[in-house]
Every structure is written in C-alpha cells, then in structure tokens.
Amino acid sequence: AGRICPVRSAPAPVGSVKKPAETIVKNPPSVGSNVQAPGKSGSLNWGWPVSGQLLKRFSSEGVGSKGIDIAGKRGDIVKASADGVVVYAGEGLVGYGKLIILRHNDEYITAYAHNDRLIAGEGQRVKLGQTIAELGSTGTDRDKLHFEIRYKGKPIDPLTILPN
C-alpha cells in the first residue's frame, strides 16, 4: 500500500485555523479538538492528533507537503486520530524521524512524524484519542507533528477529514 515519501521543502508557516482549508481566519485559537466527527470517511470517527498552531498546510503540488504540520512542545501527547492498528513504528523513513503509521481500514492510513518517543508498537490496536507517541523534533528543525492521511494510498488534505 502507499508508501510515505519524505518532505523535501517547507513553505512559510501559516496562521492557526479552526475551520477546514477553505476558511482562513486571522489569529483564531489553535487547532485541535478531539471531538468525534463521523463524516466524509464512512464509519470512522476522527479527532485531532495534537492541539497547536497549524504551521504548514497540505499541498498536492510538486514537492509540497503531503500532510499538515502542527506546532507543539517536546513531550506533548500525540493521539490516534481514529481507531486502527499500528502497522509501522520506527525511524526507517528518512525525513520523518520517529514515525508511527496506523491503518484504520482498507482505505485509510495516517502517519505521525517527528515524535520524541514512540509509545504504541507495531501490531497494537489503538482507539481514537489513545496516546501513541510524544511530540518531538526528530528528523526536523523544531518541535512539531507532521500528520498525513492517505485514502487508498493517495495523500489527502487532513483538514477535509478532521473535525472543525
């Protein structure tokens, strides 16, 4: 199934958002409620993996970001964004640091990169909101979570799935 590729460039940071990508608000509160939201992803309920300022948006153009970057502090709790199984936990993908990948069903996977400490292990079943890692800066220049959602192996904008 779709492999995660390293991010090679980083666009300038953007302000915090509370709404999906279509709505940009100046100086709103930080993103990250763990409210369950059934939605455009069938029977899965989704929640934010961390709370914090949105640093970088999804881009499907060129070498852009195939996910979003959310600011945080080293040691902040990273939570599973939906029920699933850990299919990868390690440091083997260049540019992602300590990485966890969850398979949620036959269509969706999520990736959580740059962690300081991995808590969940491969093969472990996790629930929405369960702690899977601690935020860090492995493989990057600052404390943050790089978060990706893939649908049938293709990167999609997490802001279209995560609750408002």
Side-chain angles (χ1 to χ4, degrees):
R3 280 296 218 195
I4 307 281
C5 296
V7 175
R8 289 185 173 81
S9 65
V14 294
S16 298
V17 297
K18 191 80 171 145
K19 300 268 185 214
E22 307 83 66
T23 308
I24 300 174
V25 182
K26 292 185 180 185
N27 301 319
S30 296
V31 298
S33 112
N34 256 334
V35 173
Q36 294 186 7
K40 302 172 186 169
S41 58
S43 63
L44 290 174
N45 290 323
W46 293 90
W48 286 85
V50 295
S51 297
Q53 180 185 22
L54 185 65
L55 298 172
K56 184 167 50 170
R57 294 182 171 279
F58 175 86
S59 172
S60 57
E61 302 298 316
V63 191
S65 175
K66 301 305 181 205
I68 59 175
D69 288 353
I70 305 168
K73 295 185 314 275
R74 182 175 182 221
D76 284 354
I77 298 300
V78 177
K79 299 176 181 180
S81 61
D83 294 352
V85 176
V86 178
V87 294
Y88 179 82
E91 297 182 68
L93 292 171
V94 176
Y96 282 85
K98 292 182 181 177
L99 172 69
I100 288 189
I101 299 174
L102 302 180
R103 176 172 302 286
H104 301 286
N105 57 26
D106 289 339
E107 298 175 329
Y108 287 94
I109 65 168
T110 52
Y112 310 75
H114 309 306
N115 299 290
D116 185 53
R117 184 167 77 98
L118 304 179
I119 295 170
E122 289 181 15
Q124 182 177 342
R125 290 198 160 284
V126 296
K127 295 287 190 189
L128 168 65
Q130 182 175 334
T131 300
I132 58 171
E134 291 178 358
L135 190 138
S137 60
T138 59
T140 189
D141 58 348
R142 67 170 290 170
D143 291 340
K144 66 181 174 185
L145 177 72
H146 177 74
F147 177 69
E148 297 184 8
I149 298 178
R150 302 229 171 182
Y151 176 72
K152 295 184 177 177
K154 297 183 74 109
I156 62 171
D157 186 349
L159 297 178
T160 64
I161 298 283
L162 295 173
N164 295 341

